[in-house]
């Protein structure tokens, strides 16, 4: 009898424990999804769209829409500070004013890092290099890389662009010539060709590596990037963010084990929720890109052993970095120097950022589209560049820099791009608060996500006027009175995490478009 009583007692105790755990979980869910956002959050009085779906908030609307467009409409409706509810009660804020953006991106940048899920996503695709590190490591790494992006070095690299550009022009001419009525032209998928030419250019100028994806579609690097680009969509990126938020997921997805067993991931549909094979393709692409990156660095290390004159030395960015690292360590073994792992990550960063944000980010394709719909600007631009190319079929950096209308279409005199203003390659990014802080007079709790509204700022009618969402290169000749030289145009961000390759990207775009 006593044994039966003890058994029943344990059963009752376990039952109470189950009820207690269930009640605690239930309270947490109710508190997170309903009590906190409606009644307790210090942000509850900030204007914004309805909280939306009880679990997903407004995230479904964001994922299913063109990037940045829902946020832009909310800013129009609710003003310069907007509260948006994300999944599972996670609050996001948008700040539009220059002072607030300066506070987040420049003055207190260390206290507003990228959230871990974003660092893991960037780390997977672009390595854990300049885009993902922060603090002292970021300062030292940027200081080491800066000389490679100096104007003299970029001027020396401009001629490297033209072999790839000439190859693309010949391909387009041949495609048109093959048409029965060649005068009517031919419809070409320029997204694909822009992706190839930008990959070839970044490989040549950054690493001295000849990908030649324009003519060799089976190049390993070209194949890997094409496979990677096929996975890009709003829903897929949202799912990647969910996966990379899981503890340990970043290490697993980027490991040799995952590559060797990548076929297993085609069967875990309840985890990946992708199209069949997508995660396997992601793992395969990134492993091959990393393998090529390692080969590039190894070749650069071998080249650095050979003593050559300044004239004979290779001028690609990675060669400059390897030689610089070697010279610094020869002078002082205690100075900061990037490890081989960090150098490989820089290869990935240059490939991902240098290629993706120009071609995949659609800036050039969109520039061509915008010009195609603005015949006046197109005609004026053609007249301007024709005279330069008549004298020199390969204009140098200074010749391109002095073209005023090309500046208006691609680059203004204050380095702001009309096409990139309207359609930035990265429409928005995210920061996370690491402590309670006041921004624009508002108490922002620790853990709040801040959407950095790149596309929204770039097309804010408060600054740019009623035609802010229209393509108008003339606006750069006479800037609006409220224009801010840093925070009215955020395509290259601002502060310590501003794009280090900004000048290189701009001159590359100008060269291709011209």
């Amino acid at each position: 009898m006593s044994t039966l009583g003890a058994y029943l007692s344990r059963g009752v105790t376990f039952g109470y424990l189950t009820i207690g755990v269930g009640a605690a979980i239930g309270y947490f869910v109710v508190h997170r999804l309903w009590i906190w956002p409606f009644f307790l959050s210090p942000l509850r009085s900030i204007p914004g769209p309805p909280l939306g779906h009880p679990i997903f908030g407004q995230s479904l609307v964001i994922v299913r829409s063109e990037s940045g467009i829902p946020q832009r409409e909310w800013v129009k409706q609710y003003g310069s500070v907007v509260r948006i509810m994300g999944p599972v009660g996670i609050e996001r804020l948008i700040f539009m004013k220059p002072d607030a953006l300066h506070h987040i991106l420049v003055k207190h940048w260390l206290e507003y890092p990228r959230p871990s899920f974003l660092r893991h996503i960037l780390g997977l695709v672009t390595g854990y290099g300049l885009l993902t590190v922060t603090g002292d490591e970021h300062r030292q790494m940027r200081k080491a890389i800066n000389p490679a992006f100096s104007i003299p070095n970029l001027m020396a690299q401009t001629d490297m662009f033209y072999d790839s550009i000439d190859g693309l022009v010949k391909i387009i001419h041949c495609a048109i010539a093959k048409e029965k009525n060649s005068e009517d032209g031919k419809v070409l998928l320029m997204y694909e060709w822009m992706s190839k030419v930008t990959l070839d250019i970044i490989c040549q100028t950054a690493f001295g590596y000849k990908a030649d994806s324009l003519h060799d579609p089976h190049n390993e690097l070209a194949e890997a990037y094409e496979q990677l680009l096929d996975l890009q969509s709003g829903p897929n990126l949202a799912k990647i963010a969910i996966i990379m938020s899981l503890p340990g997921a970043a290490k697993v997805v980027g490991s040799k084990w995952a590559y060797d067993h990548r076929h297993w991931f085609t069967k875990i549909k309840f985890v990946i929720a992708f199209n069949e094979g997508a995660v396997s393709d992601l793992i395969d692409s990134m492993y091959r890109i990393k393998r090529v990156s390692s080969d590039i660095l190894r070749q650069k290390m071998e080249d650095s052993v050979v003593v050559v004159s300044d004239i004979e030395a290779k001028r690609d960015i990675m060669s400059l970095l390897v030689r610089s690292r070697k010279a610094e360590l020869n002078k002082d073994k205690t100075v900061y120097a990037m490890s081989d792992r960090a150098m490989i990550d820089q290869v990935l960063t240059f490939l991902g950022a240098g290629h993706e944000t120009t071609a995949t980010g659609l800036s050039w394709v969109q520039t061509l589209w915008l010009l195609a719909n603005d015949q006046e600007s197109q005609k004026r631009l053609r007249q301007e560049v024709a005279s330069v190319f008549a004298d020199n079929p390969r204009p140098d950096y200074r010749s391109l820099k002095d073209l005023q209308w090309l500046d208006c279409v691609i680059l203004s005199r204050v380095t702001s791009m009309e096409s990139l203003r309207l359609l930035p390659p990265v429409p928005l990014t995210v920061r996370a608060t690491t402590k309670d802080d006041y921004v624009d007079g508002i108490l922002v709790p620790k853990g709040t996500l801040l959407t950095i509204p790149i596309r929204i700022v770039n097309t804010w009618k408060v600054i740019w006027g009623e035609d802010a969402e229209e393509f108008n290169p003339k606006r750069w000749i006479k800037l609006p009175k409220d224009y801010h030289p840093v925070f009215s145009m955020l395509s290259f961000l601002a502060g310590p995490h501003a794009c280090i390759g900004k000048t290189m990207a701009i001159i590359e775009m100008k060269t291709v478009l011209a």
Side-chain angles (χ1 to χ4, degrees):
M1 187 69 178
S2 61
T3 302
L4 178 60
Y7 178 78
L8 291 174
S9 177
R10 285 197 298 270
V12 171
T13 301
F14 180 75
Y16 284 140
L17 180 61
T18 303
I19 293 171
V21 171
I25 293 174
Y27 174 77
F28 174 80
V29 171
V30 171
H31 180 273
R32 185 75 181 178
L33 300 181
W34 189 64
I35 297 176
W36 174 261
F38 278 102
F39 302 106
L40 299 180
S41 171
L43 304 177
R44 63 187 184 277
S45 62
I46 294 175
L51 297 187
H53 190 281
I55 295 176
F56 301 110
Q58 290 289 348
S59 58
L60 294 178
V61 174
I62 293 171
V63 167
R64 292 168 178 168
S65 304
E66 184 179 346
S67 187
I69 296 303
Q71 294 92 329
R72 186 164 70 185
E73 295 305 310
W74 291 329
V75 166
K76 290 178 186 176
Q77 186 173 352
Y78 299 107
S80 61
V81 182
V82 180
R83 176 202 187 203
I84 303 166
M85 188 58 65
V88 294
I90 297 174
E91 295 174 292
R92 293 193 180 209
L93 291 179
I94 294 177
F95 290 99
M96 295 290 292
K97 293 181 180 178
D99 287 347
L101 294 169
H102 180 270
H103 182 94
I104 297 163
L105 296 174
V106 181
K107 188 176 181 180
H108 298 288
W109 68 284
L110 289 173
E111 296 164 7
Y112 293 91
R114 292 182 174 94
S116 60
F117 76 85
L118 183 57
R119 290 201 303 273
H120 288 321
I121 292 172
L122 291 173
L124 180 65
V125 178
T126 67
Y128 290 89
L130 201 59
L131 279 177
T132 54
V133 299
T134 191
D136 288 337
E137 186 178 6
H138 181 273
R139 289 193 188 98
Q140 292 172 327
M141 192 176 288
R142 188 166 182 120
K143 182 180 178 182
I145 295 173
N146 264 330
F149 287 90
S150 66
I151 295 298
N153 279 329
L154 295 179
M155 289 174 65
Q157 291 174 354
T158 303
D159 193 58
M160 296 182 188
F161 301 163
Y162 284 105
D163 286 342
S164 299
I165 294 170
D166 290 346
L168 176 61
V169 171
K170 289 177 182 178
I171 288 170
I172 293 173
H173 283 171
C174 287
I176 294 173
K178 289 179 181 178
E179 292 294 295
K180 291 182 178 179
N181 298 315
S182 58
E183 292 183 1
D184 295 334
K186 179 180 175 63
V187 176
L188 294 170
L189 298 176
M190 292 308 296
Y191 173 91
E192 175 185 345
W193 292 109
M194 287 294 111
S195 181
K196 290 177 183 294
V197 76
T198 51
L199 180 62
D200 289 351
I201 289 173
I202 195 65
C203 284
Q204 185 65 39
T205 57
F207 320 114
Y209 173 83
K210 190 173 179 62
D212 196 25
S213 63
L214 284 167
H215 304 98
D216 180 12
H218 301 297
N219 174 274
E220 183 174 20
L221 198 60
E223 277 189 338
Y225 265 106
E226 184 174 356
Q227 186 170 266
L228 191 64
L229 296 180
D230 287 343
L231 303 177
Q232 291 191 359
S233 69
N236 274 358
L237 292 175
K239 293 164 188 172
I240 289 174
I242 293 172
I243 290 176
M244 299 309 284
S245 298
L246 299 174
K251 288 186 178 180
V252 172
V253 172
S255 67
K256 176 70 162 57
W257 179 89
Y259 176 75
D260 291 338
H261 301 86
R262 60 194 181 279
H263 60 284
W264 289 5
F265 291 85
T266 63
K267 306 181 187 305
I268 316 177
K269 295 182 181 180
F270 71 95
V271 173
I272 59 176
F274 276 7
N275 298 326
E276 185 173 352
V279 169
S280 176
D281 289 345
L282 175 66
I283 293 170
D284 177 67
S285 297
M286 291 316 306
Y287 184 83
R288 288 198 286 164
I289 291 169
K290 288 179 181 178
R291 185 169 59 201
V292 172
S293 300
S294 298
D295 291 342
I296 290 172
L297 178 61
R298 185 174 62 252
Q299 183 61 52
K300 296 304 172 188
M301 296 293 290
E302 292 173 1
D303 291 345
S304 70
V305 176
V306 181
V307 178
V308 296
S309 68
D310 288 342
I311 296 176
E312 298 172 314
K314 294 181 179 179
R315 305 302 297 174
D316 62 89
I317 293 171
M318 189 52 62
S319 293
L320 293 171
L321 289 178
V322 170
R323 290 200 301 272
S324 174
R325 182 179 74 163
K326 182 180 178 182
E328 289 295 324
L329 289 175
N330 286 340
K331 288 191 296 183
D332 184 356
K333 299 291 185 183
T334 65
V335 300
Y336 169 81
M338 285 185 287
S339 64
D340 286 355
R341 177 70 260 174
M343 295 288 277
I344 291 174
D345 282 335
Q346 295 313 320
V347 175
L348 292 172
T349 298
F350 295 153
L351 278 171
H355 171 233
E356 300 290 308
T357 58
T358 49
T360 310
L362 295 176
S363 60
W364 293 1
V365 178
Q366 296 291 7
T367 300
L368 295 175
W369 170 255
L370 292 168
L371 277 173
N373 286 280
D374 186 346
Q375 295 294 314
E376 180 185 350
S377 294
Q378 183 184 149
K379 181 179 179 181
R380 186 169 174 179
L381 179 60
R382 184 179 289 109
Q383 290 173 343
E384 183 180 64
V385 300
S387 60
V388 175
F389 276 80
D391 296 331
N392 181 5
R394 292 192 169 197
D396 60 16
Y397 173 88
R398 294 189 183 279
S399 299
L400 291 169
K401 187 174 181 295
D402 292 337
L403 294 176
Q404 184 183 28
W405 193 246
L406 183 59
D407 277 350
C408 292
V409 173
I410 290 291
L411 175 69
S412 83
R413 293 182 179 181
V414 287
T415 64
S416 297
M417 213 178 295
E418 176 65 359
S419 57
L420 279 183
R421 181 196 68 83
L422 195 59
L423 296 160
V426 180
L428 49 84
T429 186
V430 184
R431 296 292 186 266
T433 57
T434 58
K435 67 173 187 177
D436 294 351
D437 195 11
Y438 282 90
V439 182
D440 202 9
I442 295 169
L443 175 61
V444 181
K446 177 181 177 180
T448 304
L449 295 182
L450 306 181
T451 295
I452 307 301
I454 297 171
R455 186 176 187 180
I456 301 90
V457 166
N458 288 5
T459 56
W460 197 19
K461 292 185 178 182
V462 171
I463 300 295
W464 296 100
E466 288 303 310
D467 69 342
E469 297 171 21
E470 299 173 14
F471 182 69
N472 178 18
K474 294 178 182 178
R475 75 174 76 251
W476 295 105
I477 296 174
K478 185 179 180 181
L479 291 166
K481 65 176 183 177
D482 293 326
Y483 171 83
H484 191 285
V486 177
F487 296 108
S488 290
M489 164 73 171
L490 285 177
S491 295
F492 294 101
L493 279 181
H497 277 288
C499 177
I500 194 172
K502 175 181 178 178
T503 303
M504 180 180 182
I506 289 170
I507 192 63
E508 189 178 350
M509 289 180 182
K510 292 178 72 173
T511 308
V512 171
L513 186 60

